[in-house]
Amino acid sequence: MTIEPEADVRHLLTLLSERNIGAVVVSTDGTTIEGIVSERDIVRRLGERGAALLDQPVSSIMTATVRTCAPGDNVEDLRATMTEHRIRHLPVVRDGRLAGIVSIGDVVKSAIAELESEREQLVDYISR
């Protein structure tokens, strides 16, 4: 899911709400990453600029320096990056092109699944 830099913040809010997502990659062509914009960006700028923000372009509130990951990156590395940089979304880049986005929720789900698998293995081992 991407949004063009010249789209207004009002359109961004609609997109976030309709898709029930917390961030969108900003891209002119849908494959290159020009920035990322999240609910947090909107709230912070709304406090600074007021309701006039709604008619401003997404590019005026996006984060232009975007941390990314690759499809094969380790989930623990993603968690560390998210924690260290206080971010909740990492665009996934494959062959220089946007391939998707990983959220902190995805990372947490993966950790829970791994812990559940380890628990099942331990229970199975003890039950023998």
Side-chain angles (χ1 to χ4, degrees), residues 91-108:
V92 180
V93 176
R94 180 184 310 131
D95 300 324
R97 299 170 61 100
L98 178 65
I101 191 164
V102 176
S103 73
I104 191 70
D106 298 326
V107 171
V108 169

Side-chain angles (χ1 to χ4, degrees), residues 1-17:
M1 174 60 41
T2 63
I3 191 164
E4 293 186 352
E6 60 276 355
D8 62 35
V9 173
R10 188 180 313 273
H11 177 70
L12 170 64
L13 286 170
T14 300
L15 184 63
L16 293 173
S17 177

Side-chain angles (χ1 to χ4, degrees), residues 42-64:
I42 297 166
V43 169
R44 286 183 177 154
R45 298 310 180 277
L46 193 56
E48 296 168 2
R49 303 179 196 172
L53 176 73
L54 299 175
D55 297 317
Q56 295 178 1
V58 169
S59 60
S60 72
I61 66 167
M62 73 181 188
T63 300

Side-chain angles (χ1 to χ4, degrees), residues 102-119:
V102 176
S103 73
I104 191 70
D106 298 326
V107 171
V108 169
K109 285 179 193 174
S110 175
I112 290 170
E114 186 176 326
L115 289 171
E116 181 63 25
S117 176
E118 289 175 9
R119 185 191 69 76

